[in-house]
Amino acid sequence: MAAPPSPGGGRSASAGWRRAWRVGAAYWLICHAGYLAVQIIALRINGFTVAPGSSAIGTLISMWVRWDAIGYVKIAEHGYPADPQPEFLRYDDSALPAWPPGYPLLIRVASWLLPGSPNLAALVVSNLAMLGLLVVLYRLVETELDATTAERTLLCLLVFPTAFFLAAAYSESVFLLLTVAALYCARRQRWWWAGGLAGAASSVRVAGVTIIVALALEYLRQRDFDWRRIRPDVLALGLVPSGLVAYMAYQWVRYDNPFMFSDAQKIWGRGPIVMPWRPLLDSLRDLNVVANTERAVINTIDLGLLAVALALLVLGLVGPWKLRRDQLFLLVAGALPLMIAILQPIGDPNGPPWQSMNRYVLACFPIFLIMARMARHRLVERLVVFAGLPLQAGHLILYLGGQWAG
């Protein structure tokens, strides 16, 4: 069993980062070539109509800005609404406070620097973050395990059925980049960097604040859980909730309600935490293809990918592919945001209880590390690729056509 990585630098670290950039950039380019091919197929299937006043390029770009992505771009352009309706009965600007400002702020900055529409700026931010994620994730896994597993981890991530959300105008790639980078810095005892990156992650997604548990666990492990060895750098952990706290302070001043981000989610029927068997039973009842084929298919995919993610998390703890004890903080960092999604289901009677779970699972990045270890067996690797790619292509065609895909 390999020893935990130690903080270091020099030539080996520089060479490692150069290798990470080469591998990450190669996968990023191959992935985008695949997305281009699928978009051409989607245009053939769905047709292509340029709206009055729009250009063909603008229309092609807008195909990647659907559903939640429209909300992010609206916030970047116009900010949050002055007076959101308290009843939250319609899917309109009243729902915008549900989305934290981290990703929209990046879009706004990119809009100042780039010509073209905010849609283009949103895609540039997401895709640059996706490239950064592949590089940092490769480097993290390489230092924790080995280069072969690191490359397989990128493969398993990119063939996942909803991996295209990393390239769409969604916050997934930015959130994952900040999370993985924070964990990498923590592993190297660069605690102020880790706290700052994690704080930025909590400004992108509310669930990002849960990374404080993983960072605290790793901090204590590095000190053999001896409180006498705690140093002033432990204060860096206080930066973790800074992004969310800043947004709550803004909402307190603007709306006189620091929890407006939570109240705004009522439009999707998201309410208080419930026991997981309740949405599970509701989801199983929704597997009625006769009553509602579309909803049953969405439920089947959501439940299937959630089951896969939970099984892989368990395999990270027990069995031949389990992680070392000093690596368990990675599992914690990936599992806690997923647990929040499980315990706060959608209450909308018109949608599956765990709607978007196929996308939330994507943020549970340690499952791809476990999957990569299993993929050392050629049969498993082929199964992952040949099952994941068609599902992702199907999801992406639906998304590009304006249909719900996560």
Side-chain angles (χ1 to χ4, degrees), residues 39-47:
Q39 185 160 19
I40 292 172
I41 296 171
L43 292 174
R44 182 73 176 175
I45 294 173
N46 300 322

Side-chain angles (χ1 to χ4, degrees), residues 274-288 295-296 299-300 303 345-349 351-354:
V274 301
M275 292 296 101
W277 54 81
R278 285 179 51 187
L280 175 60
L281 292 175
D282 290 340
S283 294
L284 292 174
R285 281 194 291 267
D286 270 353
L287 300 179
N288 189 336
R295 182 163 169 167
N299 247 316
T300 301
L303 284 174
I346 301 293
D348 183 357
W354 278 328

Side-chain angles (χ1 to χ4, degrees), residues 39-376:
Q39 185 160 19
I40 292 172
I41 296 171
L43 292 174
R44 182 73 176 175
I45 294 173
N46 300 322
F48 181 62
T49 303
V50 178
S54 299
S55 65
I57 294 178
T59 302
L60 290 172
I61 290 173
S62 67
M63 292 174 67
W64 287 86
V65 184
R66 308 284 193 184
W67 301 97
D68 290 14
I70 296 173
Y72 286 125
V73 171
K74 279 187 178 181
I75 296 169
E77 281 191 285
H78 309 296
Y80 292 98
D83 185 25
Q85 298 301 310
E87 64 272 16
F88 300 105
L89 297 179
R90 301 179 310 279
Y91 192 90
D92 58 14
D93 288 357
S94 294
L96 294 183
W99 290 298
Y103 180 52
L105 281 173
L106 291 175
I107 297 173
R108 191 173 184 87
V109 171
S111 295
W112 292 336
L113 301 175
L114 297 170
S117 69
N119 287 349
L120 174 62
L123 290 179
V124 168
V125 169
S126 291
N127 283 276
L128 288 180
M130 179 184 179
L131 174 59
L133 166 64
L134 297 179
V135 172
V136 178
L137 182 59
Y138 178 94
R139 183 64 179 150
L140 174 66
V141 179
E142 182 190 36
T143 54
E144 292 292 330
L145 296 169
D146 55 73
T148 302
T149 304
E151 189 167 342
R152 285 202 185 101
T153 299
L154 300 192
L155 174 66
C156 292
L157 169 64
L158 293 176
V159 302
F160 193 73
T162 52
F164 65 89
F165 279 108
L166 297 173
Y170 273 67
S171 64
E172 262 66 20
S173 56
V174 176
F175 175 73
L176 274 172
L177 169 60
L178 293 169
T179 299
V180 174
L183 296 170
Y184 180 84
C185 289
R187 196 62 155 156
R188 267 130 205 91
Q189 301 181 26
R190 298 186 177 112
W191 288 106
W192 292 104
W193 275 102
L197 290 164
S202 74
S203 77
V204 175
R205 288 180 62 173
V206 172
V209 75
T210 61
I211 195 178
I212 193 171
V213 179
L215 294 180
L217 178 63
E218 174 62 7
Y219 185 92
L220 292 173
R221 186 204 63 80
Q222 291 180 7
R223 286 148 185 80
D224 298 322
F225 296 94
D226 184 352
W227 65 270
R228 291 170 297 184
R229 297 180 60 186
I230 292 177
R231 297 294 180 264
D233 58 3
V234 72
L235 297 176
L237 298 180
L239 295 175
V240 177
S242 59
L244 176 58
V245 169
Y247 186 44
M248 292 176 68
Y250 167 83
Q251 293 192 324
W252 198 352
V253 171
R254 187 174 180 88
Y255 304 125
D256 198 29
N257 179 5
F259 298 100
M260 180 63 78
F261 68 90
S262 180
D263 291 346
Q265 296 186 47
K266 292 177 182 177
I267 197 167
W268 303 296
R270 195 181 296 280
I273 290 176
V274 301
M275 292 296 101
W277 54 81
R278 285 179 51 187
L280 175 60
L281 292 175
D282 290 340
S283 294
L284 292 174
R285 281 194 291 267
D286 270 353
L287 300 179
N288 189 336
V289 178
V290 176
N292 190 328
T293 301
E294 180 181 357
R295 182 163 169 167
V297 170
I298 293 173
N299 247 316
T300 301
I301 295 173
D302 286 341
L303 284 174
L305 294 181
L306 175 59
V308 168
L310 293 176
L312 288 168
L313 286 173
V314 171
L315 291 174
L317 294 171
V318 297
W321 304 290
K322 68 180 180 180
L323 299 181
R324 302 190 307 263
R325 290 184 63 182
D326 65 285
Q327 296 170 331
L328 294 184
F329 79 113
L330 299 174
L331 288 179
V332 172
L336 288 181
L338 183 61
M339 291 301 108
I340 289 179
I342 291 172
L343 298 176
Q344 278 196 301
I346 301 293
D348 183 357
N350 298 317
W354 278 328
Q355 187 169 295
S356 297
M357 186 58 71
N358 58 350
R359 176 165 54 87
Y360 296 146
V361 166
L362 185 65
C364 188
F365 72 92
I367 67 174
F368 303 108
L369 194 158
I370 306 302
M371 200 183 300
R373 302 192 74 182
M374 297 173 67
R376 291 175 181 173

